[in-house]
Amino acid sequence: MSKPTMKAVKSVVGQPLVLADIEKPSPGPEQILIRVGAAGVNRPDLIQRAGRYPPPPGAPETMGLEVAGTVESVGANVTQWKPGDRVCALLPGGGYAEHALAHAGSAMPIPEPLSMTEAAGLPETVLTVWNNAFEMGRLKAGETFLVHGGASGIGTTAIQMAVAWGAKVYATAGTDEKCRLCEKLGATKAINYKTEDFEAVMRAEGGVDVILDMVGAPYFDKNLTILKDLGRLCYIAFLQGSKVEGDLSRLMFKRLTITGSTLRIRTDAYKAKLAKDVVAHVWPMIKQGRFKPIISHVFPLGEADAAHARMDASDHAGKIILQVAT
Ligand SMILES: NC(=O)c1ccc[n+]([C@@H]2O[C@H](COP(=O)([O-])OP(=O)(O)OC[C@H]3O[C@@H](n4cnc5c(N)ncnc54)[C@H](OP(=O)(O)O)[C@@H]3O)[C@@H](O)[C@H]2O)c1
């Protein structure tokens, strides 16, 4: 008997993304099978597509790190979810498809009052920001927080979460329009790095306690310069280079901490703990209307190639979503 199939986006390096029929997966003992309503597009997907971010062992070959949808079936050991539950979930891959597998602990209820399309943009960004700025960066209420790439999916999430947490937030972005969005989301000031020097601005503002950085090399020493005593510099990416040059005396005299992490390679147990913490701390912010995912563009699943082109052009602000079902 032939195996059931589903539509999924297939990628071959250097070629346009296309929809193809592939085998529909079935859940392992600790997994759930999600009928996907919408899938989030993340910059790491573009890096994977270019062949520079291979899926970790055991992950699907197809792209897609987050979805929202309805649980269709559950594995033998899963007790917390049942068919029909509406969830959003962090995935090791495979989200650009009609069905996706998630570890049961990486799924979270869709928080009220969000739609499935909005919820699809939560898991990858919220868990990344929570892990890096709040856990590792130990951001506290009353502290000053600088987000580079403030208008990105990650940035729009980080600004709102930090403001809701009680931090004073600053951001950098590449256009005045993106800067206005960051300020609308609660940033005290957003700096257009193409026309202003963020180092000079932040010095004048009195310095920073925590920085979330995705830019890397050209910002390294400037970041060290503007951090206050006991400041924390948190890396989630290095879009403009990973080899850095800077003055280590700043690190010693100000007793700074530099951290970095990448979510995809972490264990299922760690992701389950992170998801629990996020539901406890961030879902109430959403319910109270203090944070919502900013959706820049929505494309049908079959137009994933256009969605990637839009992200590649970097003229979006917030999240790009693939609509899989209505
Ligand atoms: N460590 C982790 O676990 C983790 C998890 C998820 C994402 N990430 C990383 O976080 C970053 C943001 O992800 P995202 O999905 O939010 O992406 P995104 O929405 O595409 O945002 C990236 C933004 O970075 C800015 N940028 C600066 N230098 C750039 C360059 N050389 N090339 C392209 N963009 C540049 C652009 O904004 P401007 O126009 O304002 O410059 C762009 O909009 C990505 O680098 C991603 O790989 C890390």
Side-chain angles (χ1 to χ4, degrees):
M1 207 172 69
S2 64
K3 293 191 168 153
T5 61
M6 64 173 186
K7 297 272 182 230
V9 173
K10 279 195 103 168
S11 76
V12 176
V13 177
Q15 291 184 21
L17 299 177
V18 287
L19 265 190
D21 290 305
I22 66 169
E23 195 179 316
K24 181 179 166 183
S26 40
E30 316 289 340
Q31 290 178 317
I32 60 175
L33 179 67
I34 300 170
R35 193 164 61 249
V36 177
V41 176
N42 291 280
R43 193 158 284 263
D45 303 341
L46 276 65
I47 304 170
Q48 174 172 339
R49 177 186 178 180
R52 289 185 280 114
Y53 190 39
E61 285 298 313
T62 47
M63 285 175 291
L65 299 172
E66 58 184 353
V67 295
T70 309
V71 175
E72 185 168 294
S73 58
V74 303
N77 299 339
V78 176
T79 52
Q80 69 268 54
W81 303 112
K82 59 180 187 324
D85 285 344
R86 286 159 53 84
V87 294
C88 55
L90 182 75
L91 313 176
Y96 290 13
E98 290 177 321
H99 292 84
L101 290 177
H103 187 268
S106 296
M108 298 163 283
I110 292 182
E112 283 175 42
L114 298 190
S115 67
M116 220 170 244
T117 309
E118 290 170 316
L122 287 174
E124 175 73 8
T125 47
V126 173
L127 268 64
T128 297
V129 171
W130 183 261
N131 170 213
N132 288 279
F134 290 79
E135 275 189 350
M136 297 172 78
R138 307 184 306 279
L139 180 66
K140 295 188 223 23
E143 286 192 319
T144 304
F145 180 47
L146 173 64
V147 186
H148 290 304
S152 63
I154 292 275
T156 52
T157 300
I159 291 170
Q160 294 181 83
M161 281 168 56
V163 169
W165 197 244
K168 185 174 184 184
V169 179
Y170 293 83
T172 61
T175 67
D176 288 345
E177 200 186 347
K178 287 183 178 185
C179 286
R180 295 299 80 77
L181 172 69
C182 296
E183 288 172 355
K184 203 171 137 210
L185 296 176
T188 299
K189 188 173 173 52
I191 304 152
N192 180 342
Y193 64 83
K194 291 184 180 153
T195 55
E196 276 183 292
D197 175 10
F198 79 83
E199 181 187 349
V201 175
M202 291 315 302
R203 268 176 187 269
E205 294 286 325
V208 191
D209 294 295
V210 179
I211 302 175
L212 186 66
D213 191 16
M214 60 182 75
V215 176
Y219 285 6
F220 181 67
D221 200 52
K222 286 169 176 265
N223 284 335
L224 296 185
T225 304
I226 59 175
L227 279 168
K228 297 181 189 177
D229 279 4
L230 298 172
R232 287 85 76 196
L233 173 54
C234 310
Y235 280 101
I236 56 166
F238 39 84
L239 285 164
Q240 292 179 22
S242 61
K243 299 275 167 47
V244 300
E245 196 168 304
D247 184 347
L248 288 179
S249 70
R250 305 190 207 290
L251 208 80
M252 294 159 65
F253 293 139
K254 295 194 281 186
R255 303 177 306 286
L256 306 178
T257 304
I258 302 178
T259 71
S261 81
T262 184
L263 186 55
R264 197 177 187 186
I265 56 166
R266 303 298 299 272
T267 62
D268 287 333
Y270 174 74
K271 290 174 186 169
K273 181 205 166 290
L274 202 56
K276 241 186 196 162
D277 290 347
V278 156
V279 169
H281 294 288
V282 184
W283 267 215
M285 295 176 186
I286 296 173
K287 200 165 182 181
Q288 292 153 13
R290 293 189 292 152
F291 161 44
K292 78 181 274 188
I294 304 303
I295 308 298
S296 179
H297 295 83
V298 180
F299 291 85
L301 181 65
E303 292 177 23
D305 206 63
H308 274 211
R310 172 68 67 173
M311 181 167 273
D312 204 29
S314 272
D315 61 0
H316 66 292
K319 296 287 300 192
I320 295 175
I321 302 291
L322 297 175
Q323 194 73 46
V324 181
T326 45

